[in-house]
Amino acid sequence: QVQLVESGGGSVQAGGSLRLSCAASGVTVGNYCMGWFRQAPGKAREGVASINSPGITRYADSVKGRFTISRDNAKNTVYLQMNDLKPEDTATYYCAADLFTGAWSSGDYRFWGQGTQVTVSS
């Protein structure tokens, strides 16, 4: 049974930082494409970052230079380091996993976590 459990969300002021974690079981993060998505109220879910099995990373233009995705194979955990947070980063953040190396859009991912809330105040 696959489980993806996000943690690390919270409330911060603009300019602050948070690190999200996604602890995986039932999948090996080093063998899967792991993605972070976010969804704000009334908006569609959007891809934020991904890291595939060879370690290639990809970012949405809106977070390039501010967010960094990484993984710890020994802990079977994926991270999203978020710096210089802005109010528009406020959303529920989700972790996702799929074997498809080129996964990016939400439809590409088979497995999902329950999400963690990030709130950035101005």
Side-chain angles (χ1 to χ4, degrees), residues 14-88:
S17 298
L18 284 173
R19 188 177 80 155
L20 306 184
S21 299
C22 172
S25 59
V27 299
T28 302
V29 299
N31 294 339
Y32 276 68
C33 187
M34 303 298 297
W36 283 100
F37 288 77
R38 66 186 181 187
Q39 188 167 19
K43 294 189 176 181
R45 189 170 298 189
E46 62 173 348
V48 175
S50 68
I51 181 167
N52 64 12
S53 52
I56 298 171
T57 58
R58 181 177 177 180
Y59 297 93
D61 288 343
S62 57
V63 307
K64 280 180 183 176
R66 300 189 298 123
F67 290 12
T68 302
I69 189 170
S70 63
R71 68 187 180 207
D72 185 331
N73 292 341
K75 295 183 178 180
N76 211 33
T77 298
V78 176
Y79 304 97
L80 185 68
Q81 177 67 45
M82 306 187 294
N83 298 329
D84 189 23
L85 282 161
K86 304 177 180 182
E88 51 264 41

Side-chain angles (χ1 to χ4, degrees), residues 66-122:
R66 300 189 298 123
F67 290 12
T68 302
I69 189 170
S70 63
R71 68 187 180 207
D72 185 331
N73 292 341
K75 295 183 178 180
N76 211 33
T77 298
V78 176
Y79 304 97
L80 185 68
Q81 177 67 45
M82 306 187 294
N83 298 329
D84 189 23
L85 282 161
K86 304 177 180 182
E88 51 264 41
D89 295 318
T90 295
T92 300
Y93 283 71
Y94 298 89
C95 176
D98 199 89
L99 281 170
F100 174 38
T101 302
W104 176 250
S105 62
S106 59
D108 293 334
Y109 287 88
R110 179 178 179 185
F111 302 111
W112 291 85
Q114 293 300 307
T116 186
Q117 178 67 37
V118 171
T119 302
V120 185
S121 58
S122 57

